[in-house]
Protein backbone atom coordinates (compact mmCIF):
# COMPACT_ATOMS: atom_id res chain seq x y z
CA UNK A 1 0.00 0.00 0.00
CA UNK A 2 1.25 3.48 -0.79
CA UNK A 3 0.30 6.21 1.69
CA UNK A 4 0.69 9.71 0.27
CA UNK A 5 0.48 12.40 2.94
CA UNK A 6 1.77 15.28 0.85
CA UNK A 7 -1.53 17.15 1.05
CA UNK A 8 -2.29 16.35 4.68
CA UNK A 9 -1.89 18.72 7.61
CA UNK A 10 1.20 17.90 9.65
CA UNK A 11 -0.73 16.82 12.76
CA UNK A 12 -2.90 14.44 10.72
CA UNK A 13 0.19 13.15 8.90
CA UNK A 14 1.91 12.35 12.19
CA UNK A 15 -1.14 10.47 13.46
CA UNK A 16 -1.42 8.53 10.20
CA UNK A 17 2.26 7.57 10.28
CA UNK A 18 1.96 6.48 13.93
CA UNK A 19 -1.06 4.32 13.08
CA UNK A 20 0.46 2.85 9.91
CA UNK A 21 3.78 2.08 11.57
CA UNK A 22 1.97 0.36 14.45
CA UNK A 23 -0.10 -1.78 12.11
CA UNK A 24 2.93 -2.61 10.00
CA UNK A 25 4.96 -3.57 13.07
CA UNK A 26 2.12 -5.71 14.47
CA UNK A 27 1.88 -7.62 11.19
CA UNK A 28 5.64 -8.02 10.86
CA UNK A 29 5.72 -5.99 7.67
CA UNK A 30 7.89 -3.18 6.41
CA UNK A 31 7.40 0.54 6.02
CA UNK A 32 9.67 2.54 3.72
CA UNK A 33 9.73 6.25 3.03
CA UNK A 34 9.78 6.38 -0.75
CA UNK A 35 9.45 10.14 -1.31
CA UNK A 36 8.72 13.26 0.70
CA UNK A 37 5.65 12.35 2.79
CA UNK A 38 5.03 9.17 0.75
CA UNK A 39 5.35 5.74 2.36
CA UNK A 40 5.25 2.18 1.07
CA UNK A 41 3.76 -0.37 3.48
CA UNK A 42 4.16 -4.07 2.76
CA UNK A 43 3.07 -7.15 4.74
CA UNK A 44 5.67 -9.68 5.85
CA UNK A 45 4.95 -12.07 2.97
CA UNK A 46 5.42 -9.45 0.22
CA UNK A 47 8.69 -8.34 -1.30
CA UNK A 48 8.73 -5.44 -3.75
CA UNK A 49 10.70 -6.50 -6.80
CA UNK A 50 13.45 -4.39 -8.34
CA UNK A 51 11.25 -3.99 -11.43
CA UNK A 52 8.35 -2.65 -9.38
CA UNK A 53 10.67 -0.26 -7.52
CA UNK A 54 11.90 0.97 -10.92
CA UNK A 55 8.30 1.57 -12.05
CA UNK A 56 7.57 3.49 -8.87
CA UNK A 57 10.72 5.57 -9.39
CA UNK A 58 9.58 6.46 -12.90
CA UNK A 59 6.31 7.74 -11.43
CA UNK A 60 8.16 9.72 -8.79
CA UNK A 61 6.91 7.48 -5.99
CA UNK A 62 10.12 5.76 -4.94
CA UNK A 63 13.58 6.98 -4.14
CA UNK A 64 16.53 4.66 -3.87
Amino acid sequence: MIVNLQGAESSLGRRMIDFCSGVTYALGGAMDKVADQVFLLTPSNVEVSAEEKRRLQERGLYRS
Side-chain angles (χ1 to χ4, degrees):
M1 171 188 329
I2 293 180
V3 178
N4 184 343
L5 300 171
Q6 291 176 336
E9 293 180 21
S10 62
S11 61
L12 174 62
R14 278 192 300 273
R15 290 195 320 254
M16 289 293 296
I17 291 306
D18 288 346
F19 176 78
C20 289
S21 63
V23 168
T24 302
Y25 176 79
L27 296 175
M31 183 172 169
D32 298 306
K33 185 172 185 178
V34 296
D36 183 41
Q37 298 298 310
V38 180
F39 301 87
L40 174 65
L41 287 67
T42 52
S44 60
N45 63 341
V46 173
E47 184 176 328
V48 180
S49 69
E51 181 181 336
E52 189 61 30
K53 287 179 183 178
R54 182 186 53 76
R55 277 189 241 157
L56 290 170
Q57 277 180 324
E58 290 172 356
R59 295 180 184 154
L61 295 174
Y62 194 88
R63 63 179 181 184
S64 46

